[in-house]
């Protein structure tokens, strides 16, 4: 099981590499607005393939053109390095 990050480590990662993300309920959270529904679904499909290859899966909420990702290591009970990596990949996929 991956080791939980401290609040300071998480805050530093957000400041340095993940400025669009926030911490909510022991998870990294980011909402991304796309131009239309299909663009949002394409983003979800891209992230799903990436998550599957990492064997690390976010919770995803689809609300028309707004996609919200919740990234946490459920087995560890919070945020780990794996979550930071996945969040960066989501940022790259989002463009």
């Amino acid at each position: 099981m991956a080791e939980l990050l401290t609040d300071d480590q998480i805050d530093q990662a957000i400041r340095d590499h993940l400025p669009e993300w926030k911490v909510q309920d022991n998870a990294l959270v980011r909402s991304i607005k796309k131009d239309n529904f299909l663009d949002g679904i394409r983003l979800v499909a891209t992230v799903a393939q990436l998550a599957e290859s990492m064997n690390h899966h976010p919770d995803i909420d689809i609300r028309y053109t707004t996609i919200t990702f919740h990234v946490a290591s459920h087995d560890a009970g919070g945020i780990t390095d794996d979550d930071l990596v996945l969040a960066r990949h989501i940022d790259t996929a989002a463009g």
Side-chain angles (χ1 to χ4, degrees):
M1 178 181 345
E3 186 175 318
L4 287 175
L5 298 175
T6 66
D7 290 343
D8 288 339
Q9 290 171 312
I10 296 165
D11 291 343
Q12 186 70 42
I14 289 172
R15 275 193 306 275
D16 292 348
H17 306 289
L18 302 168
E20 302 294 325
W21 293 80
K22 63 182 179 181
V23 176
Q24 180 182 335
D25 299 326
N26 292 319
L28 294 170
V29 178
R30 179 179 178 196
S31 292
I32 299 167
K33 183 147 177 68
K34 300 305 277 182
D35 289 336
N36 57 64
F37 182 73
L38 287 178
D39 285 346
I41 295 303
R42 286 184 194 99
L43 174 61
V44 169
T46 298
V47 170
Q49 289 177 344
L50 180 68
E52 192 67 14
S53 72
M54 293 177 64
N55 194 31
H56 193 62
H57 306 88
D59 294 330
I60 303 171
D61 181 51
I62 303 167
R63 304 290 171 144
Y64 184 45
T65 59
T66 301
I67 313 302
T68 302
F69 296 95
H70 295 259
V71 180
S73 295
H74 300 290
D75 58 344
I79 300 169
T80 68
D81 280 325
D82 291 341
D83 302 305
L84 300 180
V85 171
L86 181 55
R88 286 186 195 125
H89 284 307
I90 291 170
D91 283 350
T92 299

